[in-house]
Amino acid sequence: MNVANASVSVQDLSLSFGSVTVLKSLNLDVAEGEFVVLLGPSGCGKSTLLNCIAGLLDISDGRIFIKGKNVTWEEPADRGIGMVFQSYALYPQMTVEKNLSFGLRVAGTPKDEIDKRIARAAEILQIGPLLQRKPAALSGGQRQRVAIGRALVRDVDVFLFDEPLSNLDAKLRSELRVEIKRLHQKLANTMIYVTHDQIEAMTLADRIAVMRGGVIQQFDAPQVIYNRPVNRFVAGFLGSPGMNFLDGRLENDGGWHFVAGELKVPLASYDFEREPSPGASVFGIRPEHVGLNSGSGWPFTAQASVDVVEPMGSDTLVWLKLADQNFTVRVTSERAPQSGESVEIGFDPMRASLFDEQGNRL
Amino acid sequence: MSNPAVLSSTIAGADAVRGELSGPRGPKPRSVLSRRNIFLYGTLFLVAVYYLLPLYVMVVTSLKGMPEIRLGNIFSPPVEITFEPWVKAWSTACTGLNCDGLSRGFWNSVRITVPSVILSIALASVNGYALANWRFKGADIFFTILIVGAFIPYQVMLYPIVIILREIGLYGSLWGLVLVHSIFGMPILTLLFRNYFASLPDELFRAARVDGAGFWGIYLRIMVPMSMPIFVVALIIQITGIWNDFLFGVVYTRPDTYPMTVQLNNIVNSVQGVKEYNVNMAATLITGLVPLIIYFVSGKLFVRGIAAGAVKG
């Protein structure tokens, strides 16, 4: 993708505060109409990156393009972006209507044009009856809608979301999540969305950029990131319960095997990213990709003893000891074993992820 | 009750069961005359009397005629209430050359206080806003220098300022004093405003920038409307501080432009003739009336503002 057809393009962006480097020559290209999620643990620089794109932080190096225009030195208001903040950031002394129109009034937009745009935003977000209220008289969900509306009325090309749902309770969060997705389908704007919640990332994103320590680890479609993580950090960060990791060695005796204790997993069906070499390695497989007492048909089976059973409602998490290491399996509740039982597990090495000693995918 | 061991042991002890059924329930009754209450209210009462007694004496004395005062019973209420001392203190008491009472000083004080308060708060709030929200290079050093200014004793600066005022031709005028008050209010007020603005959510500021508002737009349309409590606090601090100021008033003005406090001193400390205690008391009360009214009117707002500045809300 080149600058001309990318909606947002970040090139060699660096940012440091004094001696602390927050972002290191970072590159990111977001296509027109794409929904990109920046995902990572707190302190990974994802919000910082968003603030740089918005122009709220002065960058140390690099360039930022929005709609093919170099906006590196532009003021936030001139970049064609709208931003939604975690704390909603509604102006408390203004009514919803005044909140929505503030940016337009600052820009000197004619009154009838303002009214038209507010009416449209209120219609899309269903906040018509709230227009004359102050933010204090709104619920969390309503406030967040108004915050989105504020970006909407400005008719911007790019929406930036900075953890917009983190302040809401679980139920409201999932409701608004669907609404944001619906909004994206309807408006087809480019959206960049920062979150540390992997479910939000998986459900909303066209592509996810997983960040750590100011560096994008992997930038790909959610399914690719989930199934083929490029390194152990990405593998461990996505998925709940997390991926199982077994420490062991990679050996070649007429075919590649992963060996941990008495466990010997044949890797004939595994799709190696690059040419493997014997040595220490980590074998990762997701709890839902493992079968428990489900009979034959698995390319690989092994015996394990049940340590703890955690019923979670829809399904049950079974903690096992496999080759003296912790291992979890996710099964439907009716198949759950008792703790202490000996069970047979089975999985397909094709679905596994192998990492070398440095944690990079093999 | 979920613990079977507890259950069986209570069944075993019948007394325990009876105790559990007939034992205390609901709020614990408290005696009005408990030791705690007597101590608490007793202390409060004594402290209140201690502080109110001088005020009582002042009010009572100011309403008495001189013959009654000479009897020496300073705590006894006036036998015959007279407002003569109040009238005299306001309009005919002599201070130096002028014999038109405190009225001249009162209007001087108003003419000093109003512009000083407006000027100092306007400057300090913009100062604090810039320091809190528009981090510029050297902001910390600038702020430190400003704060150090708050700790330098005024006496050190008295004479240099006399020279400066003389050089710019403001010495002896009300505007000179206004300038001095505005400058000396700057450190503490800037600190006050900076801390308040820093306690406001930063995201509001950023949202306003995304909305396209500039330095003054954000200040006037977002920050100021949100900061009424701290403006009230600043207003009270400045009005009372400037109204009660004596040192700057006596140094930087002339008898014509003396503020009320300086005039009050001249009335009370005049050594000629009879000491008119009733006039002195009345003059003191009149002088103190302005800060007193400010406190009574805005006491609640003041407390709220102080609290709002301390905790983010």
Side-chain angles (χ1 to χ4, degrees), chain B residues 53-74:
Chain B
L53 209 56
L55 181 67
Y56 167 79
V57 171
M58 284 175 74
V59 173
V60 167
T61 309
S62 74
L63 295 174
K64 291 175 184 170
M66 275 317 283
E68 209 181 319
I69 290 170
R70 288 197 195 95
L71 295 176
N73 305 320
I74 62 165

Side-chain angles (χ1 to χ4, degrees), chain A residues 10-247:
Chain A
V10 174
Q11 297 179 349
D12 296 321
L13 179 74
S14 292
L15 176 72
S16 27
F17 296 116
S19 59
V20 186
T21 307
V22 187
L23 299 171
K24 294 178 204 100
S25 46
L26 188 143
N27 287 286
L28 181 78
D29 285 304
V30 180
E32 182 71 50
E34 196 176 18
F35 199 120
V36 165
V37 170
L38 305 178
L39 178 70
S42 43
C44 73
K46 54 191 192 300
S47 284
T48 310
L49 173 57
L50 198 74
N51 278 312
C52 288
I53 295 173
L56 293 167
L57 281 174
D58 285 335
I59 62 175
S60 310
D61 198 9
R63 293 189 295 179
I64 298 166
F65 293 84
I66 293 175
K67 282 258 173 179
K69 189 175 126 204
N70 188 336
V71 296
T72 313
W73 292 346
E74 298 278 353
E75 278 296 301
D78 304 330
R79 294 188 176 204
I81 51 128
M83 194 156 175
V84 179
F85 297 89
Q86 180 179 352
S87 66
Y88 325 126
L90 300 179
Y91 313 125
Q93 75 279 9
M94 298 183 198
T95 61
V96 168
E97 188 180 359
K98 294 274 186 250
N99 261 286
L100 293 176
S101 63
F102 182 71
L104 299 174
R105 283 183 285 137
V106 169
T109 314
K111 182 89 177 64
D112 50 337
E113 174 69 18
I114 293 178
D115 291 343
K116 215 159 63 195
R117 293 211 203 163
I118 288 180
R120 174 172 163 266
E123 150 100 51
I124 291 172
L125 296 163
Q126 295 165 354
I127 50 174
L130 310 175
L131 285 179
Q132 296 313 319
R133 290 205 205 160
K134 292 267 177 79
L138 302 178
S139 70
Q142 290 168 335
R143 282 180 206 182
Q144 199 49 281
R145 262 176 242 238
V146 176
I148 294 171
R150 202 163 50 180
L152 207 60
V153 290
R154 290 184 54 238
D155 238 352
V156 291
D157 304 315
V158 181
F159 277 71
L160 306 176
F161 292 91
D162 192 358
E163 308 217 17
L165 305 183
S166 299
N167 276 9
L168 301 171
D169 63 53
K171 187 165 172 290
L172 213 52
R173 201 180 305 159
S174 55
E175 277 173 29
L176 269 165
R177 200 172 65 212
V178 178
E179 261 183 64
I180 290 177
K181 187 151 192 165
R182 208 172 279 144
L183 191 71
H184 180 240
Q185 285 171 358
K186 196 164 178 176
L187 301 173
N189 281 58
T190 307
M191 296 189 177
I192 302 179
Y193 187 107
V194 164
T195 185
H196 60 260
D197 184 319
Q198 44 166 314
I199 299 179
E200 279 172 29
M202 293 295 292
T203 52
L204 289 170
D206 294 324
R207 281 195 294 168
I208 299 176
V210 184
M211 291 183 69
R212 179 202 200 183
V215 176
I216 293 179
Q217 306 285 310
Q218 188 170 8
F219 184 35
D220 223 321
Q223 281 313 312
V224 177
I225 288 191
Y226 192 74
N227 291 321
R228 293 184 67 87
V230 292
N231 58 33
R232 198 176 153 168
F233 170 78
V234 175
F237 192 76
L238 272 109
S240 170
M243 187 186 265
N244 289 303
F245 293 113
L246 295 173
D247 290 320

